[in-house]
Amino acid sequence: MSRIVIAHGYGMGSGEHWYGSVAEELSGEGHEVRVPDFPEPFAPDAGAWLKGLRAETEGVPAGETVLVGHSLGGVSVLRLLQEHDTEAEGAFAGVVFVASMSGEVGYDALAPFFSPEFDWARIRGAARGFRVLHAADDPVTGEKTSEHVMRFVTELGATARVTASGGHFPSTGVSLLELPDAVRLIREVL
């Protein structure tokens, strides 16, 4: 069975939203699911989040590990893939980006997560498969939602599922306790 690591988004923690139900469902199938709490979720530090994510992937071969990044957690996944030594450790089994950004979205406090530019070729080689789940009405990526999704598709060869609604899975002030589309996409890359 595989290890699945879910990287939560900005202002969130492991016990919120759909993380628990996804973890419970996939754990029930025999997978080891980890949902780490990154430090200072409302004042995130890119280096600290990357360090926390890196720690969750240790001890299991990359080829048996699926990374799931929600929102800003997906940006941390991109950074992890960019630094990953694929030649020595092999490629990760797969990656699922949920409402994640492929570039800046106008929040100055989050700018360090997007600098320097992503090395898309290196990132693409660090995993065997990529999936994207995004909503057309995502308020974070806004009118540039299609650009973010298409960058994942063109740069990483990702398969994308774009729903008409769903916001940021969830949007501010809303809770979303289940996300069956995420489970399906994770199963596709296992």
Side-chain angles (χ1 to χ4, degrees):
M1 296 275 110
S2 297
R3 175 180 291 176
I4 300 162
V5 180
I6 302 173
H8 67 72
Y10 172 85
M12 300 176 194
S14 62
E16 297 180 64
H17 309 304
W18 49 268
Y19 308 136
S21 68
V22 170
E24 183 178 334
E25 185 166 346
L26 295 168
S27 294
E29 296 172 7
H31 302 290
E32 176 190 1
V33 183
R34 295 182 175 200
V35 188
D37 282 309
F38 299 133
E40 302 296 331
F42 287 98
D45 175 80
W49 278 35
L50 179 57
K51 181 179 178 182
L53 180 58
R54 188 184 309 117
E56 297 298 326
T57 64
E58 294 173 354
V60 172
E64 297 174 15
T65 304
V66 171
L67 304 170
V68 180
H70 177 220
S71 186
L72 191 60
V75 179
S76 292
V77 168
L78 287 169
R79 291 292 173 209
L80 179 73
L81 294 170
Q82 184 168 307
E83 74 167 20
H84 181 66
D85 187 348
T86 305
E87 192 170 305
E89 300 176 33
F92 284 96
V95 177
V96 177
F97 295 107
V98 179
S100 194
M101 302 80 84
S102 61
E104 288 202 47
V105 288
Y107 297 105
D108 291 341
L110 304 182
F113 281 82
F114 300 97
S115 181
E117 290 288 321
F118 295 117
D119 182 342
W120 291 105
R122 184 171 173 83
I123 293 167
R124 184 177 188 155
R128 293 193 303 255
F130 295 90
R131 300 291 185 274
V132 173
L133 175 60
H134 218 106
D137 66 347
D138 187 328
V140 174
T141 52
E143 64 186 31
K144 295 190 177 190
T145 294
S146 62
E147 292 175 32
H148 287 273
V149 172
M150 286 309 298
R151 181 170 288 150
F152 286 123
V153 171
T154 58
E155 299 288 356
L156 302 179
T159 300
R161 165 141 172 69
V162 179
T163 61
S165 62
H168 201 58
F169 298 120
S171 293
T172 304
V174 177
S175 190
L176 180 64
L177 300 180
E178 294 182 347
L179 193 54
D181 283 336
V183 173
R184 183 178 57 79
L185 294 177
I186 294 166
R187 286 185 180 130
E188 286 182 11
V189 297
L190 281 170

